[in-house]
Amino acid sequence: MVEDVVRTLGFLCMGSRLRRIGERLQSDTQQVIDEAGLGIQAGQYPFLAAIDRSGPLTIGELAQAVGITQPGATRTIGQLLELGFVDMQPAPDDQRRRLVSLTGKGQDLVDHSKMVIWPRIAAAVADLCGDLDGPILEQLAAIEDGLAAVPLVRRHAARTG
């Protein structure tokens, strides 16, 4: 059997390992979505959730809410527009700003998902993490906050310089 180098190298490959875990969680989530016949990608759900929680948002606000680049948010919103789950209109206070909101179809999807799909996925992930030692969500938040405050490149420079 070939050695799992990403696992063996520990902190050196932490980003690769987290990406691998994230991709597996996304893939498994997609299976649940596909079985339900919802016609949406797992990575699109956070955008719908952000709009549902906050109301209409600009692309920039959505990118910030989901934690991705603005071009990535633009691409995803374009897909959701094509699927008919969101609509984009000029903001009433500033015609240069465009606000993304849920359509009736999008709200129906979110309402169904909040009752059926999201609890199923959350329960499955909680079950997966249930026997772990320590508050994993708090630890992940601390890692994200730490990277936002001081990127790796500055951490290395601070220790050697």
Side-chain angles (χ1 to χ4, degrees):
M1 182 177 241
V2 176
E3 175 187 23
D4 183 344
V5 175
V6 170
R7 182 180 286 212
T8 303
L9 292 177
F11 286 124
L12 178 61
C13 291
M14 187 169 168
S16 296
R17 193 157 184 200
L18 289 171
R19 183 177 59 245
R20 180 169 76 183
I21 292 167
E23 288 172 356
R24 177 66 188 267
L25 288 170
Q26 287 284 88
S27 175
D28 287 1
T29 298
Q30 191 61 52
Q31 278 189 282
V32 172
I33 294 167
D34 291 346
E35 287 173 7
L38 297 179
I40 189 168
Q41 297 299 308
Q44 295 168 333
Y45 260 137
F47 291 87
L48 299 178
I51 298 166
D52 180 61
R53 292 172 68 94
S54 301
L57 297 168
T58 65
I59 296 284
E61 291 167 336
L62 281 163
Q64 185 178 6
V66 177
I68 66 166
T69 64
Q70 193 156 337
T74 299
R75 186 172 39 257
T76 300
I77 292 303
Q79 295 165 346
L80 290 169
L81 279 164
E82 285 181 26
L83 292 168
F85 293 126
V86 299
D87 186 35
M88 194 178 326
Q89 297 294 324
D93 60 332
D94 184 350
Q95 296 294 307
R96 295 170 296 175
R97 293 180 56 225
R98 312 244 327 140
L99 293 175
V100 181
S101 59
L102 295 173
T103 61
K105 179 180 176 182
Q107 189 65 60
D108 289 345
L109 173 66
V110 168
D111 291 343
H112 172 76
S113 298
K114 283 167 46 174
M115 289 185 339
V116 179
I117 304 299
W118 296 354
R120 179 177 172 194
I121 292 166
V125 175
D127 178 68
L128 171 68
C129 298
D131 292 335
L132 299 177
D133 185 27
I136 191 164
L137 294 177
E138 291 173 25
Q139 293 169 358
L140 290 173
I143 291 170
E144 287 177 319
D145 293 345
L147 285 171
V150 183
L152 289 183
V153 67
R154 286 191 24 225
R155 287 176 185 277
H156 176 71
R159 291 208 171 149
T160 59

